[in-house]
């Protein structure tokens, strides 16, 4: 008996050691994406981009086509089974003109692109000649079929100087194409904002209406909803372009809605009933159904901290309680709106950023659920009843390491996957069970991964 007892003890020790080694091996294989059932593997990637002189790219997915918009070209890549990111078509603007805008929310398979030639004075930092008509600037809008790049229609865009506009002057959705025009030399002498909003049929380019923008308002941003066209306006004084009007009154940002069929103004309300939101603030439309605006009153660029709120509006223009950008949950970084819920990535700082995934009820402004994440979050997408989050090893990382999937209803974790191959830290889309990640200029425009 004593001999057997003497053998049992070392066998137990060996078993424990082997178990520990096995557990560590399994953990390592899972973490590195080499364990079946826990992994994400790369299936294809588009050819690497040419450098773009630090000019930003815009990348998104429409149906079975991934679209990349750069200053020098717009390209469509096939992402259906068997296409594996193959280039399907490319539009290069003529001559020395550049792509100066595109509508990322392409609807019904139609893509809007604007291009033109920026004047030398404004391109080099000059002010140009405000109010003077010019043949330069972002003056042409074209619509393309996303599937094959075929041109559908083209319209001129009114410009008042040679400057390229910022984002948001093109939108597409629910059968409408929206184009924000600058005022002509004659119009600039009359009171009001410097931009007119026109709607065209998305498939044919036929003019539908010009929005009835109030005379002292200018259009800053737009988005097409199912029942209304929503806009952020700058209103007040004699000229909504000036932060302070000629009579000393401040210009404030407002939320407005136009009739989808006629362009008639349905309502125009202040963003804040207590104090005006000035043009120094940053306002972005996060969602059209319902209308949700992200209002940033102040921002600390060094720390990333922002002061403001997400504000949801009813169909009659009545604002809801709102969700603060910063609260007990931390500082909201990214957000996605689906119906009456908003899902947000929020962070707090303690020896690095620590993230949470939070769901809010937009009707009440209250939290529905709150889940702590083990790794810093880099991307967020909501599809159906699931919320997907891409995570990095650290906030200084340049590659994605992990995919987490949560139940949108209660926040329960449903899946956890680790990337075997390097994934760029960019926006991502879900398509037929794959994760398609966008890349920066000079890298792969799109990279697809699938579960393994």
């Amino acid at each position: 008996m004593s001999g057997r007892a003497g053998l049992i003890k070392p066998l137990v020790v060996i078993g424990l050691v082997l178990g520990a080694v096995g557990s560590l091996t399994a953990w390592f294989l899972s973490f590195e994406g080499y364990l079946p059932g826990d992994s994400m593997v790369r299936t294809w990637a588009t050819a690497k981009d040419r450098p773009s002189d630090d000019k930003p790219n815009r990348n998104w997915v429409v149906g079975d086509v991934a679209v990349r918009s750069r200053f020098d070209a717009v390209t469509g890549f096939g992402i259906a089974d068997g296409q594996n990111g193959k280039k399907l078509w490319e539009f290069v603007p003529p001559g020395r003109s550049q792509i100066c805008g595109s509508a990322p929310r392409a609807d019904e398979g139609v893509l809007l692109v604007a291009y033109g030639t920026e004047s030398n004075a404004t391109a080099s930092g000059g002010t140009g000649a405000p109010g003077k008509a010019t043949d330069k600037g972002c003056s042409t809008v074209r619509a393309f079929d996303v599937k094959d790049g075929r041109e559908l229609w083209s319209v001129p865009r009114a410009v008042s100087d040679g400057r390229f506009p910022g984002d948001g002057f093109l939108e597409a959705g629910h059968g409408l194409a929206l184009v924000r025009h600058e005022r002509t030399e004659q119009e600039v002498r009359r009171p009001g904002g410097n931009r007119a909003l026109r709607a065209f049929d998305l498939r044919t380019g036929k003019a539908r209406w010009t929005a009835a923008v109030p005379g002292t308002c200018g259009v800053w941003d737009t988005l097409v909803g199912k029942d209304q066209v929503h806009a952020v306006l700058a209103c007040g004084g004699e000229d909504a372009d000036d932060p302070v009007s000629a009579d000393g009154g401040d210009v404030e940002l407002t939320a407005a809605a136009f009739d989808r069929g006629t362009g008639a103004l349905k309502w125009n309300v202040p963003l804040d009933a207590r104090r005006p939101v000035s043009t120094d603030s940053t306002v972005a439309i996060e969602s059209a159904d319902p209308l949700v605006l992200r209002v940033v009153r102040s921002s600390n660029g060094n720390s990333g901290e922002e002061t403001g709120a997400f504000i949801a509006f009813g169909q009659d223009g009545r604002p809801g309680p709102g969700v603060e950008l910063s609260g007990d949950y931390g500082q909201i970084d990214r957000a996605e709106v689906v119906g009456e819920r908003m899902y947000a990535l929020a962070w707090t700082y303690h020896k690095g950023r620590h993230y949470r995934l939070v769901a809010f009820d937009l009707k009440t402004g209250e939290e529905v659920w709150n889940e702590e994440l083990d790794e810093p979050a880099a991307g967020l997408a909501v599809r159906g009843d699931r919320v997907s989050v891409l995570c990095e090893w650290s906030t200084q990382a340049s590659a994605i390491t992990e995919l987490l999937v949560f139940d949108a209803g209660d926040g329960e974790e449903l899946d956890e996957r680790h990337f075997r191959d390097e994934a760029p830290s960019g926006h991502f889309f879900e398509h037929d069970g794959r994760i398609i990640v966008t890349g920066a200029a000079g890298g792969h425009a799109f990279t697809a991964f699938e579960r393994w």
Side-chain angles (χ1 to χ4, degrees):
M1 293 292 295
S2 60
R4 291 182 180 179
L7 288 174
I8 290 175
K9 186 174 181 179
L11 288 175
V12 170
V13 172
I14 292 172
L16 292 174
V17 171
L18 291 176
V21 171
S23 297
L24 286 173
T25 302
W27 176 88
F28 177 80
L29 291 175
S30 174
F31 187 80
E32 293 296 324
Y34 285 94
L35 195 65
D38 289 338
S39 305
M40 296 292 295
V41 295
R42 190 170 83 167
T43 54
W44 55 259
T46 58
K48 283 192 175 183
D49 272 342
R50 302 179 302 277
S52 62
D53 299 328
D54 296 327
K55 295 184 179 181
N57 291 358
R58 304 191 76 181
N59 306 55
W60 64 94
V61 170
V62 184
D64 288 334
V65 180
V67 180
R68 178 206 58 188
S69 178
R70 293 165 39 110
F71 77 99
D72 56 353
V74 178
T75 311
F77 302 92
I79 59 176
D81 287 341
Q83 292 183 322
N84 296 336
K86 175 185 176 182
K87 182 190 290 188
L88 301 178
W89 54 265
E90 187 168 70
F91 167 71
V92 178
R96 295 183 176 180
S97 60
Q98 297 182 20
I99 302 294
C100 47
S102 52
R105 299 178 182 89
D107 187 34
E108 300 177 14
V110 179
L111 169 68
L112 298 184
V113 173
Y115 62 91
T117 305
E118 192 167 19
S119 66
N120 292 332
T122 55
S124 61
T127 58
K132 184 176 181 180
T134 176
D135 59 352
K136 294 184 181 294
C138 197
S139 57
T140 302
V141 175
R142 284 190 180 183
F144 298 89
D145 189 302
V146 173
K147 291 183 179 180
D148 54 18
R150 174 172 50 92
E151 182 181 341
L152 300 176
W153 51 269
S154 176
V155 296
R157 175 177 176 269
V159 295
S160 59
D161 56 41
R163 293 177 294 181
F164 280 177
D167 293 334
F169 69 93
L170 288 180
E171 283 295 340
H174 301 287
L176 287 181
L178 299 183
V179 181
R180 209 164 70 194
H181 294 256
E182 298 177 13
R183 298 173 71 198
T184 64
E185 184 176 0
Q186 291 74 25
E187 291 172 328
V188 93
R189 298 174 183 173
R190 298 198 296 265
N194 81 332
R195 301 175 183 92
L197 180 64
R198 298 190 67 195
F200 302 86
D201 184 276
L202 189 56
R203 294 296 308 184
T204 67
K206 180 180 179 180
R208 297 279 293 273
W209 44 258
T210 298
V213 180
T216 59
C217 298
V219 183
W220 275 42
D221 198 6
T222 57
L223 189 60
V224 185
K226 294 178 181 178
D227 301 314
Q228 301 178 139
V229 172
H230 297 292
V232 175
L233 306 180
C235 299
E238 294 183 357
D239 190 342
D241 273 348
D242 296 331
V244 179
S245 63
D247 61 3
D250 291 339
V251 175
E252 77 171 293
L253 298 178
T254 66
F258 300 93
D259 186 276
R260 271 180 32 85
T262 66
L265 181 67
K266 301 186 72 171
W267 47 264
N268 184 26
V269 300
L271 299 186
D272 190 327
R274 294 182 176 272
R275 61 190 179 109
V277 176
S278 72
T279 54
D280 292 335
S281 304
T282 301
V283 179
I285 303 178
E286 296 285 333
S287 165
D289 299 300
L291 174 62
V292 178
L293 302 181
R294 181 184 184 126
V295 181
V296 181
R297 287 186 177 270
S298 64
S299 177
N300 186 330
N302 294 326
S303 67
E305 296 177 350
E306 297 177 334
T307 301
F310 292 87
I311 306 173
F313 294 82
Q315 286 291 91
D316 59 356
R318 184 174 300 178
V323 175
E324 295 296 320
L325 281 171
S326 182
D328 293 338
Y329 38 80
Q331 173 78 52
I332 294 179
D333 191 359
R334 306 187 188 201
E336 291 279 346
V337 176
V338 178
E340 299 296 338
R341 287 261 182 109
M342 184 177 80
Y343 302 90
L345 294 173
W347 57 269
T348 54
Y349 190 87
H350 178 68
K351 296 181 180 180
R353 289 190 178 187
H354 300 270
Y355 277 80
R356 290 181 175 273
L357 177 62
V358 190
F360 296 92
D361 186 330
L362 291 173
K363 290 183 177 179
T364 64
E366 300 295 327
E367 288 185 34
V368 179
W369 50 262
N370 185 323
E371 291 293 330
E372 185 175 1
L373 305 178
D374 293 332
E375 310 292 347
L380 172 69
V382 184
R383 185 168 184 174
D385 59 355
R386 296 191 171 200
V387 183
S388 299
V389 179
L390 293 185
C391 295
E392 301 169 329
W393 174 252
S394 73
T395 52
Q396 286 75 42
S398 59
I400 298 298
T401 58
E402 190 175 29
L403 167 69
L404 299 175
V405 182
F406 299 86
D407 187 291
D410 57 15
E412 178 186 358
E413 185 176 314
L414 302 176
D415 195 11
E416 178 182 351
R417 301 274 173 157
H418 296 272
F419 286 81
R420 178 190 303 178
D421 306 291
E422 181 175 338
S425 182
H427 295 289
F428 74 102
F429 304 87
E430 297 190 57
H431 181 270
D432 289 345
R434 290 188 175 126
I435 297 293
I436 299 179
V437 185
T438 66
H444 301 288
F446 298 94
T447 306
F449 297 86
E450 63 183 8
R451 290 168 173 82
W452 180 75

